[in-house]
Amino acid sequence: MTLSEVKFDKLNTVEILCSEFSKDGKSAVRRKRDLYPMEVITGDDTLKGFYIEIANFSYFTDYVAWNDCGGVIAVKYLSFREEQEISDVTKVMHQNMEFKGTEGYKRRLSHMETAGEYINLTEIYALKLLNESELVDYYSKYRENYLTIKEREEREQEKQRQLEQQKTEDERQKLFNARILEAEDCIRRNKLLKNDSLDDGKHLILYLMKKHNINVPLKTQGWINNKLTSVLFAQDGVIHIQFYRGKGCKCSESVYKYLNLLKTAVDGTAD
């Protein structure tokens, strides 16, 4: 039988005080919850003191296990999926028997510290309710130190991420600059220049025109971006162009004017 198959509506709940976060998530509070005794669900009396809460979400249901610390306060331990078998739940809870009750809870916090895990406000608040003032101070300092280290690690990670991002951008710019120099070399040497698409969706030839301060009307810009495929500046001064010849598509006569200006500008920057 799975958890989802248990007829919880036929079972009685027990009102238990639980340590949990406030609605804004910034502090810990104690709140009464109606929980199901674990021994009733599993049929295993050794699990008395553990409880199950049904947590319904939009697309799934979680079954949260709580540990009752001597009737003073209950603390959240772990959660189960609705498709898990009752036998598996029983097995997992037996693996957590050493963490049962008040002493077990303190032992669990010690294990969490050893493992370098985060201890949150609700877990420290439960110690306060259990009158464990020394442990409250100890784990409060542990939590502050944990957050300080975590914040420092996150800053370092962000710094490294930015360095990697800058490195990638520098490499991209280096390749882009080399591509532009190669295109200008094609123009100077009267080689075929393809009007390739650039990263911003515009095309190489229009980029070169803007780089060399050639003001091109919007209509002609559109034709260059959408129709022009390649240009060949012949040695005799004739410009040969290729463009998409869709139905009704004609060559833009004005484009030759701006291609001539581009040729003159690029040749004028030759070393």
PDB file of all heavy atoms in Angstrom, residues 151-179:
ATOM      1  N   GLU A 151      27.679  33.207   2.097  1.00  0.00           N
ATOM      2  CA  GLU A 151      27.629  34.478   1.382  1.00  0.00           C
ATOM      3  C   GLU A 151      28.967  34.753   0.701  1.00  0.00           C
ATOM      4  O   GLU A 151      29.007  35.220  -0.438  1.00  0.00           O
ATOM      5  CB  GLU A 151      27.299  35.607   2.355  1.00  0.00           C
ATOM      6  CG  GLU A 151      27.146  36.963   1.692  1.00  0.00           C
ATOM      7  CD  GLU A 151      26.781  38.058   2.670  1.00  0.00           C
ATOM      8  OE1 GLU A 151      26.404  37.724   3.818  1.00  0.00           O
ATOM      9  OE2 GLU A 151      26.893  39.247   2.302  1.00  0.00           O
ATOM     10  N   ARG A 152      30.065  34.458   1.410  1.00  0.00           N
ATOM     11  CA  ARG A 152      31.390  34.665   0.828  1.00  0.00           C
ATOM     12  C   ARG A 152      31.608  33.745  -0.370  1.00  0.00           C
ATOM     13  O   ARG A 152      32.137  34.164  -1.409  1.00  0.00           O
ATOM     14  CB  ARG A 152      32.470  34.404   1.883  1.00  0.00           C
ATOM     15  CG  ARG A 152      33.885  34.668   1.365  1.00  0.00           C
ATOM     16  CD  ARG A 152      34.905  34.693   2.476  1.00  0.00           C
ATOM     17  NE  ARG A 152      34.987  33.424   3.181  1.00  0.00           N
ATOM     18  CZ  ARG A 152      34.647  33.239   4.448  1.00  0.00           C
ATOM     19  NH1 ARG A 152      34.190  34.253   5.170  1.00  0.00           N
ATOM     20  NH2 ARG A 152      34.773  32.058   5.014  1.00  0.00           N
ATOM     21  N   GLU A 153      31.179  32.494  -0.239  1.00  0.00           N
ATOM     22  CA  GLU A 153      31.305  31.542  -1.343  1.00  0.00           C
ATOM     23  C   GLU A 153      30.482  31.986  -2.546  1.00  0.00           C
ATOM     24  O   GLU A 153      30.935  31.884  -3.694  1.00  0.00           O
ATOM     25  CB  GLU A 153      30.849  30.160  -0.892  1.00  0.00           C
ATOM     26  CG  GLU A 153      31.800  29.489   0.090  1.00  0.00           C
ATOM     27  CD  GLU A 153      31.262  28.162   0.592  1.00  0.00           C
ATOM     28  OE1 GLU A 153      30.051  27.895   0.382  1.00  0.00           O
ATOM     29  OE2 GLU A 153      32.041  27.399   1.202  1.00  0.00           O
ATOM     30  N   GLU A 154      29.275  32.502  -2.278  1.00  0.00           N
ATOM     31  CA  GLU A 154      28.420  32.964  -3.372  1.00  0.00           C
ATOM     32  C   GLU A 154      29.023  34.181  -4.070  1.00  0.00           C
ATOM     33  O   GLU A 154      28.917  34.314  -5.296  1.00  0.00           O
ATOM     34  CB  GLU A 154      27.025  33.288  -2.831  1.00  0.00           C
ATOM     35  CG  GLU A 154      26.228  32.048  -2.440  1.00  0.00           C
ATOM     36  CD  GLU A 154      24.891  32.390  -1.818  1.00  0.00           C
ATOM     37  OE1 GLU A 154      24.635  33.593  -1.568  1.00  0.00           O
ATOM     38  OE2 GLU A 154      24.104  31.452  -1.569  1.00  0.00           O
ATOM     39  N   ARG A 155      29.664  35.061  -3.291  1.00  0.00           N
ATOM     40  CA  ARG A 155      30.334  36.222  -3.900  1.00  0.00           C
ATOM     41  C   ARG A 155      31.482  35.767  -4.786  1.00  0.00           C
ATOM     42  O   ARG A 155      31.681  36.303  -5.880  1.00  0.00           O
ATOM     43  CB  ARG A 155      30.847  37.174  -2.819  1.00  0.00           C
ATOM     44  CG  ARG A 155      29.780  38.006  -2.134  1.00  0.00           C
ATOM     45  CD  ARG A 155      30.392  39.217  -1.446  1.00  0.00           C
ATOM     46  NE  ARG A 155      31.419  38.840  -0.498  1.00  0.00           N
ATOM     47  CZ  ARG A 155      31.207  38.629   0.797  1.00  0.00           C
ATOM     48  NH1 ARG A 155      29.978  38.763   1.293  1.00  0.00           N
ATOM     49  NH2 ARG A 155      32.196  38.300   1.607  1.00  0.00           N
ATOM     50  N   GLU A 156      32.238  34.788  -4.293  1.00  0.00           N
ATOM     51  CA  GLU A 156      33.353  34.256  -5.080  1.00  0.00           C
ATOM     52  C   GLU A 156      32.856  33.580  -6.349  1.00  0.00           C
ATOM     53  O   GLU A 156      33.458  33.717  -7.418  1.00  0.00           O
ATOM     54  CB  GLU A 156      34.169  33.272  -4.236  1.00  0.00           C
ATOM     55  CG  GLU A 156      35.017  33.922  -3.157  1.00  0.00           C
ATOM     56  CD  GLU A 156      36.058  34.878  -3.730  1.00  0.00           C
ATOM     57  OE1 GLU A 156      36.677  34.541  -4.759  1.00  0.00           O
ATOM     58  OE2 GLU A 156      36.245  35.970  -3.157  1.00  0.00           O
ATOM     59  N   GLN A 157      31.768  32.834  -6.211  1.00  0.00           N
ATOM     60  CA  GLN A 157      31.184  32.166  -7.373  1.00  0.00           C
ATOM     61  C   GLN A 157      30.685  33.180  -8.394  1.00  0.00           C
ATOM     62  O   GLN A 157      30.856  32.996  -9.602  1.00  0.00           O
ATOM     63  CB  GLN A 157      30.044  31.249  -6.924  1.00  0.00           C
ATOM     64  CG  GLN A 157      30.507  30.021  -6.157  1.00  0.00           C
ATOM     65  CD  GLN A 157      29.358  29.231  -5.575  1.00  0.00           C
ATOM     66  OE1 GLN A 157      28.185  29.592  -5.721  1.00  0.00           O
ATOM     67  NE2 GLN A 157      29.673  28.134  -4.912  1.00  0.00           N
ATOM     68  N   GLU A 158      30.067  34.263  -7.890  1.00  0.00           N
ATOM     69  CA  GLU A 158      29.576  35.313  -8.786  1.00  0.00           C
ATOM     70  C   GLU A 158      30.740  36.018  -9.474  1.00  0.00           C
ATOM     71  O   GLU A 158      30.669  36.326 -10.671  1.00  0.00           O
ATOM     72  CB  GLU A 158      28.738  36.315  -8.003  1.00  0.00           C
ATOM     73  CG  GLU A 158      28.231  37.504  -8.816  1.00  0.00           C
ATOM     74  CD  GLU A 158      27.325  37.115  -9.963  1.00  0.00           C
ATOM     75  OE1 GLU A 158      26.781  35.992  -9.954  1.00  0.00           O
ATOM     76  OE2 GLU A 158      27.157  37.946 -10.880  1.00  0.00           O
ATOM     77  N   LYS A 159      31.798  36.261  -8.720  1.00  0.00           N
ATOM     78  CA  LYS A 159      32.989  36.885  -9.292  1.00  0.00           C
ATOM     79  C   LYS A 159      33.578  36.006 -10.389  1.00  0.00           C
ATOM     80  O   LYS A 159      33.941  36.488 -11.472  1.00  0.00           O
ATOM     81  CB  LYS A 159      34.018  37.125  -8.195  1.00  0.00           C
ATOM     82  CG  LYS A 159      35.299  37.787  -8.685  1.00  0.00           C
ATOM     83  CD  LYS A 159      36.275  37.992  -7.536  1.00  0.00           C
ATOM     84  CE  LYS A 159      37.579  38.614  -8.017  1.00  0.00           C
ATOM     85  NZ  LYS A 159      38.547  38.796  -6.897  1.00  0.00           N
ATOM     86  N   GLN A 160      33.655  34.694 -10.109  1.00  0.00           N
ATOM     87  CA  GLN A 160      34.188  33.758 -11.086  1.00  0.00           C
ATOM     88  C   GLN A 160      33.290  33.680 -12.310  1.00  0.00           C
ATOM     89  O   GLN A 160      33.766  33.606 -13.445  1.00  0.00           O
ATOM     90  CB  GLN A 160      34.335  32.370 -10.448  1.00  0.00           C
ATOM     91  CG  GLN A 160      35.043  31.339 -11.313  1.00  0.00           C
ATOM     92  CD  GLN A 160      36.468  31.729 -11.663  1.00  0.00           C
ATOM     93  OE1 GLN A 160      37.161  32.328 -10.847  1.00  0.00           O
ATOM     94  NE2 GLN A 160      36.909  31.398 -12.876  1.00  0.00           N
ATOM     95  N   ARG A 161      31.972  33.711 -12.058  1.00  0.00           N
ATOM     96  CA  ARG A 161      31.011  33.670 -13.172  1.00  0.00           C
ATOM     97  C   ARG A 161      31.181  34.894 -14.063  1.00  0.00           C
ATOM     98  O   ARG A 161      31.160  34.785 -15.297  1.00  0.00           O
ATOM     99  CB  ARG A 161      29.585  33.609 -12.627  1.00  0.00           C
ATOM    100  CG  ARG A 161      28.523  33.397 -13.706  1.00  0.00           C
ATOM    101  CD  ARG A 161      27.142  33.665 -13.168  1.00  0.00           C
ATOM    102  NE  ARG A 161      26.952  35.054 -12.826  1.00  0.00           N
ATOM    103  CZ  ARG A 161      26.702  36.017 -13.712  1.00  0.00           C
ATOM    104  NH1 ARG A 161      26.618  35.725 -15.012  1.00  0.00           N
ATOM    105  NH2 ARG A 161      26.528  37.264 -13.322  1.00  0.00           N
ATOM    106  N   GLN A 162      31.367  36.060 -13.445  1.00  0.00           N
ATOM    107  CA  GLN A 162      31.548  37.285 -14.223  1.00  0.00           C
ATOM    108  C   GLN A 162      32.855  37.262 -15.010  1.00  0.00           C
ATOM    109  O   GLN A 162      32.902  37.733 -16.146  1.00  0.00           O
ATOM    110  CB  GLN A 162      31.511  38.490 -13.291  1.00  0.00           C
ATOM    111  CG  GLN A 162      30.137  38.767 -12.697  1.00  0.00           C
ATOM    112  CD  GLN A 162      30.132  39.948 -11.764  1.00  0.00           C
ATOM    113  OE1 GLN A 162      31.162  40.561 -11.490  1.00  0.00           O
ATOM    114  NE2 GLN A 162      28.954  40.298 -11.242  1.00  0.00           N
ATOM    115  N   LEU A 163      33.903  36.694 -14.391  1.00  0.00           N
ATOM    116  CA  LEU A 163      35.181  36.576 -15.092  1.00  0.00           C
ATOM    117  C   LEU A 163      35.064  35.667 -16.307  1.00  0.00           C
ATOM    118  O   LEU A 163      35.591  35.962 -17.380  1.00  0.00           O
ATOM    119  CB  LEU A 163      36.261  36.046 -14.144  1.00  0.00           C
ATOM    120  CG  LEU A 163      36.760  37.016 -13.066  1.00  0.00           C
ATOM    121  CD1 LEU A 163      37.692  36.303 -12.100  1.00  0.00           C
ATOM    122  CD2 LEU A 163      37.456  38.216 -13.701  1.00  0.00           C
ATOM    123  N   GLU A 164      34.354  34.545 -16.108  1.00  0.00           N
ATOM    124  CA  GLU A 164      34.156  33.617 -17.215  1.00  0.00           C
ATOM    125  C   GLU A 164      33.296  34.250 -18.309  1.00  0.00           C
ATOM    126  O   GLU A 164      33.552  34.070 -19.499  1.00  0.00           O
ATOM    127  CB  GLU A 164      33.474  32.332 -16.700  1.00  0.00           C
ATOM    128  CG  GLU A 164      34.354  31.467 -15.810  1.00  0.00           C
ATOM    129  CD  GLU A 164      35.537  30.893 -16.567  1.00  0.00           C
ATOM    130  OE1 GLU A 164      35.409  30.646 -17.785  1.00  0.00           O
ATOM    131  OE2 GLU A 164      36.598  30.697 -15.937  1.00  0.00           O
ATOM    132  N   GLN A 165      32.281  35.008 -17.870  1.00  0.00           N
ATOM    133  CA  GLN A 165      31.413  35.688 -18.821  1.00  0.00           C
ATOM    134  C   GLN A 165      32.192  36.733 -19.615  1.00  0.00           C
ATOM    135  O   GLN A 165      32.021  36.853 -20.837  1.00  0.00           O
ATOM    136  CB  GLN A 165      30.247  36.356 -18.086  1.00  0.00           C
ATOM    137  CG  GLN A 165      29.225  37.004 -19.003  1.00  0.00           C
ATOM    138  CD  GLN A 165      28.056  37.592 -18.225  1.00  0.00           C
ATOM    139  OE1 GLN A 165      27.949  37.444 -17.024  1.00  0.00           O
ATOM    140  NE2 GLN A 165      27.174  38.271 -18.920  1.00  0.00           N
ATOM    141  N   GLN A 166      33.075  37.470 -18.911  1.00  0.00           N
ATOM    142  CA  GLN A 166      33.889  38.479 -19.591  1.00  0.00           C
ATOM    143  C   GLN A 166      34.874  37.828 -20.546  1.00  0.00           C
ATOM    144  O   GLN A 166      35.117  38.329 -21.655  1.00  0.00           O
ATOM    145  CB  GLN A 166      34.643  39.311 -18.554  1.00  0.00           C
ATOM    146  CG  GLN A 166      35.404  40.491 -19.148  1.00  0.00           C
ATOM    147  CD  GLN A 166      34.488  41.474 -19.847  1.00  0.00           C
ATOM    148  OE1 GLN A 166      33.516  41.932 -19.271  1.00  0.00           O
ATOM    149  NE2 GLN A 166      34.788  41.804 -21.108  1.00  0.00           N
ATOM    150  N   LYS A 167      35.436  36.698 -20.120  1.00  0.00           N
ATOM    151  CA  LYS A 167      36.366  35.962 -20.975  1.00  0.00           C
ATOM    152  C   LYS A 167      35.673  35.508 -22.248  1.00  0.00           C
ATOM    153  O   LYS A 167      36.219  35.627 -23.359  1.00  0.00           O
ATOM    154  CB  LYS A 167      36.924  34.761 -20.217  1.00  0.00           C
ATOM    155  CG  LYS A 167      37.918  33.939 -21.012  1.00  0.00           C
ATOM    156  CD  LYS A 167      38.418  32.755 -20.186  1.00  0.00           C
ATOM    157  CE  LYS A 167      39.376  31.889 -21.000  1.00  0.00           C
ATOM    158  NZ  LYS A 167      39.845  30.715 -20.216  1.00  0.00           N
ATOM    159  N   THR A 168      34.442  34.987 -22.077  1.00  0.00           N
ATOM    160  CA  THR A 168      33.662  34.540 -23.231  1.00  0.00           C
ATOM    161  C   THR A 168      33.326  35.705 -24.146  1.00  0.00           C
ATOM    162  O   THR A 168      33.418  35.599 -25.381  1.00  0.00           O
ATOM    163  CB  THR A 168      32.363  33.861 -22.761  1.00  0.00           C
ATOM    164  OG1 THR A 168      32.692  32.736 -21.942  1.00  0.00           O
ATOM    165  CG2 THR A 168      31.527  33.394 -23.943  1.00  0.00           C
ATOM    166  N   GLU A 169      32.954  36.848 -23.543  1.00  0.00           N
ATOM    167  CA  GLU A 169      32.607  38.032 -24.326  1.00  0.00           C
ATOM    168  C   GLU A 169      33.831  38.573 -25.064  1.00  0.00           C
ATOM    169  O   GLU A 169      33.733  38.978 -26.227  1.00  0.00           O
ATOM    170  CB  GLU A 169      32.031  39.108 -23.403  1.00  0.00           C
ATOM    171  CG  GLU A 169      31.675  40.418 -24.098  1.00  0.00           C
ATOM    172  CD  GLU A 169      30.649  40.266 -25.210  1.00  0.00           C
ATOM    173  OE1 GLU A 169      29.859  39.316 -25.172  1.00  0.00           O
ATOM    174  OE2 GLU A 169      30.666  41.107 -26.135  1.00  0.00           O
ATOM    175  N   ASP A 170      34.980  38.562 -24.373  1.00  0.00           N
ATOM    176  CA  ASP A 170      36.212  39.038 -25.013  1.00  0.00           C
ATOM    177  C   ASP A 170      36.582  38.156 -26.204  1.00  0.00           C
ATOM    178  O   ASP A 170      37.008  38.657 -27.253  1.00  0.00           O
ATOM    179  CB  ASP A 170      37.364  39.044 -24.004  1.00  0.00           C
ATOM    180  CG  ASP A 170      37.207  40.139 -22.953  1.00  0.00           C
ATOM    181  OD1 ASP A 170      36.380  41.042 -23.161  1.00  0.00           O
ATOM    182  OD2 ASP A 170      37.899  40.071 -21.924  1.00  0.00           O
ATOM    183  N   GLU A 171      36.413  36.861 -26.027  1.00  0.00           N
ATOM    184  CA  GLU A 171      36.723  35.926 -27.113  1.00  0.00           C
ATOM    185  C   GLU A 171      35.760  36.112 -28.281  1.00  0.00           C
ATOM    186  O   GLU A 171      36.163  36.087 -29.447  1.00  0.00           O
ATOM    187  CB  GLU A 171      36.652  34.488 -26.592  1.00  0.00           C
ATOM    188  CG  GLU A 171      37.043  33.423 -27.607  1.00  0.00           C
ATOM    189  CD  GLU A 171      38.491  33.534 -28.067  1.00  0.00           C
ATOM    190  OE1 GLU A 171      39.326  34.041 -27.303  1.00  0.00           O
ATOM    191  OE2 GLU A 171      38.770  33.099 -29.214  1.00  0.00           O
ATOM    192  N   ARG A 172      34.478  36.311 -27.925  1.00  0.00           N
ATOM    193  CA  ARG A 172      33.476  36.548 -28.971  1.00  0.00           C
ATOM    194  C   ARG A 172      33.794  37.825 -29.734  1.00  0.00           C
ATOM    195  O   ARG A 172      33.711  37.871 -30.969  1.00  0.00           O
ATOM    196  CB  ARG A 172      32.083  36.656 -28.340  1.00  0.00           C
ATOM    197  CG  ARG A 172      30.950  36.697 -29.363  1.00  0.00           C
ATOM    198  CD  ARG A 172      29.694  37.277 -28.778  1.00  0.00           C
ATOM    199  NE  ARG A 172      29.863  38.684 -28.477  1.00  0.00           N
ATOM    200  CZ  ARG A 172      29.780  39.663 -29.393  1.00  0.00           C
ATOM    201  NH1 ARG A 172      29.549  39.376 -30.667  1.00  0.00           N
ATOM    202  NH2 ARG A 172      29.948  40.918 -29.044  1.00  0.00           N
ATOM    203  N   GLN A 173      34.176  38.879 -28.989  1.00  0.00           N
ATOM    204  CA  GLN A 173      34.506  40.148 -29.634  1.00  0.00           C
ATOM    205  C   GLN A 173      35.752  40.026 -30.491  1.00  0.00           C
ATOM    206  O   GLN A 173      35.835  40.620 -31.574  1.00  0.00           O
ATOM    207  CB  GLN A 173      34.714  41.226 -28.566  1.00  0.00           C
ATOM    208  CG  GLN A 173      34.836  42.635 -29.119  1.00  0.00           C
ATOM    209  CD  GLN A 173      33.582  43.101 -29.841  1.00  0.00           C
ATOM    210  OE1 GLN A 173      32.474  42.952 -29.329  1.00  0.00           O
ATOM    211  NE2 GLN A 173      33.726  43.633 -31.051  1.00  0.00           N
ATOM    212  N   LYS A 174      36.708  39.248 -30.021  1.00  0.00           N
ATOM    213  CA  LYS A 174      37.934  39.026 -30.784  1.00  0.00           C
ATOM    214  C   LYS A 174      37.626  38.347 -32.118  1.00  0.00           C
ATOM    215  O   LYS A 174      38.138  38.737 -33.168  1.00  0.00           O
ATOM    216  CB  LYS A 174      38.897  38.165 -29.963  1.00  0.00           C
ATOM    217  CG  LYS A 174      40.218  37.876 -30.644  1.00  0.00           C
ATOM    218  CD  LYS A 174      41.107  37.022 -29.742  1.00  0.00           C
ATOM    219  CE  LYS A 174      42.420  36.674 -30.445  1.00  0.00           C
ATOM    220  NZ  LYS A 174      43.279  35.814 -29.581  1.00  0.00           N
ATOM    221  N   LEU A 175      36.766  37.326 -32.053  1.00  0.00           N
ATOM    222  CA  LEU A 175      36.381  36.620 -33.280  1.00  0.00           C
ATOM    223  C   LEU A 175      35.588  37.534 -34.211  1.00  0.00           C
ATOM    224  O   LEU A 175      35.764  37.500 -35.434  1.00  0.00           O
ATOM    225  CB  LEU A 175      35.556  35.383 -32.927  1.00  0.00           C
ATOM    226  CG  LEU A 175      36.301  34.260 -32.193  1.00  0.00           C
ATOM    227  CD1 LEU A 175      35.329  33.181 -31.736  1.00  0.00           C
ATOM    228  CD2 LEU A 175      37.381  33.654 -33.084  1.00  0.00           C
ATOM    229  N   PHE A 176      34.714  38.372 -33.597  1.00  0.00           N
ATOM    230  CA  PHE A 176      33.906  39.288 -34.393  1.00  0.00           C
ATOM    231  C   PHE A 176      34.797  40.314 -35.099  1.00  0.00           C
ATOM    232  O   PHE A 176      34.622  40.600 -36.289  1.00  0.00           O
ATOM    233  CB  PHE A 176      32.895  39.997 -33.495  1.00  0.00           C
ATOM    234  CG  PHE A 176      32.011  40.968 -34.232  1.00  0.00           C
ATOM    235  CD1 PHE A 176      30.935  40.527 -34.971  1.00  0.00           C
ATOM    236  CD2 PHE A 176      32.269  42.340 -34.190  1.00  0.00           C
ATOM    237  CE1 PHE A 176      30.118  41.419 -35.658  1.00  0.00           C
ATOM    238  CE2 PHE A 176      31.472  43.234 -34.868  1.00  0.00           C
ATOM    239  CZ  PHE A 176      30.385  42.767 -35.606  1.00  0.00           C
ATOM    240  N   ASN A 177      35.753  40.861 -34.349  1.00  0.00           N
ATOM    241  CA  ASN A 177      36.658  41.853 -34.940  1.00  0.00           C
ATOM    242  C   ASN A 177      37.462  41.241 -36.094  1.00  0.00           C
ATOM    243  O   ASN A 177      37.682  41.891 -37.127  1.00  0.00           O
ATOM    244  CB  ASN A 177      37.610  42.397 -33.879  1.00  0.00           C
ATOM    245  CG  ASN A 177      36.896  43.251 -32.854  1.00  0.00           C
ATOM    246  OD1 ASN A 177      35.786  43.726 -33.090  1.00  0.00           O
ATOM    247  ND2 ASN A 177      37.514  43.453 -31.701  1.00  0.00           N
ATOM    248  N   ALA A 178      37.894  39.994 -35.890  1.00  0.00           N
ATOM    249  CA  ALA A 178      38.648  39.308 -36.949  1.00  0.00           C
ATOM    250  C   ALA A 178      37.775  39.109 -38.184  1.00  0.00           C
ATOM    251  O   ALA A 178      38.239  39.219 -39.332  1.00  0.00           O
ATOM    252  CB  ALA A 178      39.161  37.961 -36.435  1.00  0.00           C
ATOM    253  N   ARG A 179      36.489  38.824 -37.939  1.00  0.00           N
ATOM    254  CA  ARG A 179      35.553  38.636 -39.048  1.00  0.00           C
ATOM    255  C   ARG A 179      35.370  39.928 -39.838  1.00  0.00           C
ATOM    256  O   ARG A 179      35.316  39.921 -41.077  1.00  0.00           O
ATOM    257  CB  ARG A 179      34.210  38.158 -38.485  1.00  0.00           C
ATOM    258  CG  ARG A 179      33.176  37.784 -39.526  1.00  0.00           C
ATOM    259  CD  ARG A 179      31.918  37.329 -38.838  1.00  0.00           C
ATOM    260  NE  ARG A 179      30.914  36.864 -39.776  1.00  0.00           N
ATOM    261  CZ  ARG A 179      29.670  36.507 -39.428  1.00  0.00           C
ATOM    262  NH1 ARG A 179      29.313  36.592 -38.147  1.00  0.00           N
ATOM    263  NH2 ARG A 179      28.811  36.099 -40.330  1.00  0.00           N
TER     264      ARG A 179
END
